[in-house]
Coordinates of all heavy atoms in Angstrom, one line a residue:
Chain B
E923 N -1.3 20.4 9.1 CA -1.4 21.8 9.7 C -2.6 22.1 10.5 O -2.5 22.7 11.6 CB -1.3 22.8 8.5 CG 0.1 22.8 7.8 CD 0.2 23.8 6.6 OE1 -0.9 24.3 6.2 OE2 1.3 24.0 6.2
L924 N -3.7 21.5 10.1 CA -4.9 21.6 10.9 C -4.8 20.9 12.3 O -5.3 21.4 13.3 CB -6.1 21.0 10.2 CG -6.8 21.9 9.2 CD1 -7.9 21.1 8.4 CD2 -7.5 23.1 9.9
G925 N -4.1 19.8 12.3 CA -3.9 19.1 13.5 C -2.9 19.7 14.5 O -2.9 19.3 15.7
Y926 N -2.1 20.6 14.1 CA -1.1 21.3 14.9 C -1.8 21.9 16.1 O -2.9 22.5 16.0 CB -0.4 22.4 14.1 CG 0.7 23.1 14.9 CD1 2.0 22.6 14.8 CD2 0.4 24.2 15.6 CE1 3.0 23.3 15.5 CE2 1.4 24.9 16.3 CZ 2.7 24.4 16.2 OH 3.7 25.1 16.9
P927 N -1.3 21.9 17.3 CA 0.1 21.4 17.7 C 0.2 20.0 18.0 O 1.2 19.5 18.5 CB 0.3 22.3 19.0 CG -1.0 22.4 19.6 CD -2.0 22.5 18.5
N928 N -0.9 19.2 17.8 CA -0.9 17.8 18.0 C -0.3 17.0 16.8 O -0.3 17.6 15.6 CB -2.2 17.2 18.3 CG -2.7 17.6 19.7 OD1 -1.9 18.0 20.5 ND2 -4.0 17.5 19.9
E929 N 0.2 15.8 16.9 CA 0.5 15.0 15.8 C -0.7 14.6 15.1 O -1.7 14.3 15.8 CB 1.3 13.8 16.3 CG 2.7 14.1 16.8 CD 3.7 13.0 16.8 OE1 3.4 11.9 16.1 OE2 4.7 13.1 17.5
A930 N -0.7 14.6 13.8 CA -1.8 14.1 13.0 C -1.3 13.0 12.1 O -0.1 12.9 11.9 CB -2.4 15.2 12.1
C931 N -2.2 12.1 11.6 CA -1.7 10.9 10.9 C -2.7 10.4 9.9 O -3.9 10.8 10.0 CB -1.4 9.8 12.0 SG -2.8 9.6 13.2
G932 N -2.3 9.5 9.1 CA -3.2 8.9 8.1 C -2.5 7.9 7.3 O -1.3 7.5 7.5
F933 N -3.2 7.4 6.3 CA -2.7 6.3 5.4 C -2.3 6.8 4.0 O -2.9 7.7 3.5 CB -3.7 5.2 5.3 CG -4.0 4.4 6.6 CD1 -5.1 4.8 7.4 CD2 -3.1 3.4 7.0 CE1 -5.3 4.1 8.6 CE2 -3.3 2.8 8.2 CZ -4.4 3.1 9.0
L934 N -1.4 6.1 3.4 CA -0.9 6.3 2.0 C -1.4 5.1 1.2 O -1.0 4.0 1.5 CB 0.6 6.5 2.0 CG 1.2 7.5 2.9 CD1 2.7 7.3 2.9 CD2 0.8 8.9 2.4
L935 N -2.1 5.4 0.1 CA -2.6 4.3 -0.8 C -2.0 4.6 -2.2 O -1.9 5.7 -2.6 CB -4.1 4.3 -0.9 CG -4.9 3.6 0.2 CD1 -4.6 4.1 1.6 CD2 -6.4 3.6 -0.1
G936 N -1.7 3.5 -2.9 CA -1.3 3.7 -4.3 C -0.8 2.4 -4.9 O -1.4 1.3 -4.6
E937 N 0.2 2.5 -5.8 CA 0.6 1.3 -6.5 C 2.1 1.2 -6.2 O 2.9 2.2 -6.3 CB 0.4 1.5 -8.0 CG -1.1 1.4 -8.3 CD -1.4 1.6 -9.8 OE1 -0.4 1.8 -10.6 OE2 -2.6 1.6 -10.2
D938 N 2.6 -0.1 -6.0 CA 4.0 -0.4 -5.8 C 4.6 -0.9 -7.1 O 4.0 -1.8 -7.7 CB 4.1 -1.4 -4.6 CG 5.5 -1.6 -4.3 OD1 6.2 -0.6 -3.9 OD2 6.0 -2.8 -4.4
H939 N 5.8 -0.4 -7.4 CA 6.4 -0.9 -8.6 C 7.8 -1.5 -8.3 O 8.7 -1.5 -9.2 CB 6.5 0.2 -9.6 CG 5.3 1.1 -9.8 ND1 4.2 0.6 -10.4 CD2 5.0 2.3 -9.4 CE1 3.2 1.6 -10.3 NE2 3.7 2.6 -9.7
G940 N 8.0 -1.9 -7.1 CA 9.4 -2.4 -6.7 C 10.2 -1.3 -6.1 O 10.0 -0.9 -5.0
E941 N 11.1 -0.8 -6.9 CA 12.0 0.3 -6.3 C 11.3 1.6 -6.3 O 11.8 2.6 -5.6 CB 13.3 0.4 -7.1 CG 14.2 -0.8 -6.9 CD 15.6 -0.6 -7.5 OE1 16.0 0.5 -7.8 OE2 16.3 -1.6 -7.7
S942 N 10.2 1.8 -7.0 CA 9.4 3.0 -6.9 C 8.0 2.7 -6.6 O 7.5 1.6 -6.8 CB 9.5 3.8 -8.2 OG 8.8 3.2 -9.2
R943 N 7.3 3.6 -6.0 CA 5.8 3.5 -5.8 C 5.2 4.8 -5.9 O 5.8 5.9 -5.8 CB 5.6 2.9 -4.4 CG 6.3 3.7 -3.3 CD 6.1 3.1 -1.9 NE 6.2 1.6 -1.8 CZ 6.2 0.9 -0.7 NH1 6.0 1.5 0.5 NH2 6.3 -0.4 -0.7
T944 N 3.9 4.8 -6.2 CA 3.1 6.0 -6.5 C 2.0 6.2 -5.5 O 1.1 5.3 -5.4 CB 2.6 6.1 -7.9 OG1 3.6 5.8 -8.8 CG2 1.9 7.4 -8.2
I945 N 2.0 7.2 -4.7 CA 0.9 7.5 -3.8 C -0.2 8.3 -4.5 O 0.0 9.4 -5.1 CB 1.4 8.4 -2.6 CG1 2.6 7.7 -1.9 CG2 0.2 8.6 -1.6 CD1 2.4 6.4 -1.4
Q946 N -1.4 7.7 -4.6 CA -2.5 8.2 -5.4 C -3.6 8.7 -4.5 O -4.4 9.6 -4.9 CB -3.0 7.2 -6.4 CG -2.0 6.8 -7.4 CD -2.4 5.6 -8.2 OE1 -1.7 4.6 -8.3 NE2 -3.7 5.6 -8.7
E947 N -3.7 8.2 -3.3 CA -4.8 8.6 -2.4 C -4.3 8.6 -1.0 O -3.3 7.8 -0.6 CB -6.0 7.6 -2.5 CG -6.6 7.5 -3.9 CD -8.1 7.6 -3.9 OE1 -8.7 7.8 -2.8 OE2 -8.6 7.4 -4.9
V948 N -4.9 9.4 -0.2 CA -4.6 9.4 1.3 C -5.9 9.3 2.1 O -6.9 9.7 1.6 CB -3.7 10.6 1.7 CG1 -2.4 10.7 0.9 CG2 -4.5 11.9 1.5
I949 N -5.7 8.7 3.2 CA -6.9 8.7 4.2 C -6.5 9.3 5.5 O -5.6 8.7 6.2 CB -7.3 7.2 4.4 CG1 -7.7 6.5 3.1 CG2 -8.5 7.2 5.4 CD1 -8.0 5.0 3.2
A950 N -7.1 10.4 5.8 CA -6.8 11.0 7.1 C -7.6 10.3 8.2 O -8.8 9.9 8.0 CB -7.2 12.5 7.1

Side-chain angles (χ1 to χ4, degrees):
Chain B
E923 289 179 346
L924 276 172
Y926 183 91
N928 289 340
E929 293 200 14
C931 49
F933 292 99
L934 306 169
L935 277 60
E937 293 178 357
D938 184 59
H939 316 290
E941 289 190 18
S942 71
R943 52 182 44 174
T944 307
I945 307 300
Q946 297 169 231
E947 299 228 5
V948 299
I949 303 172

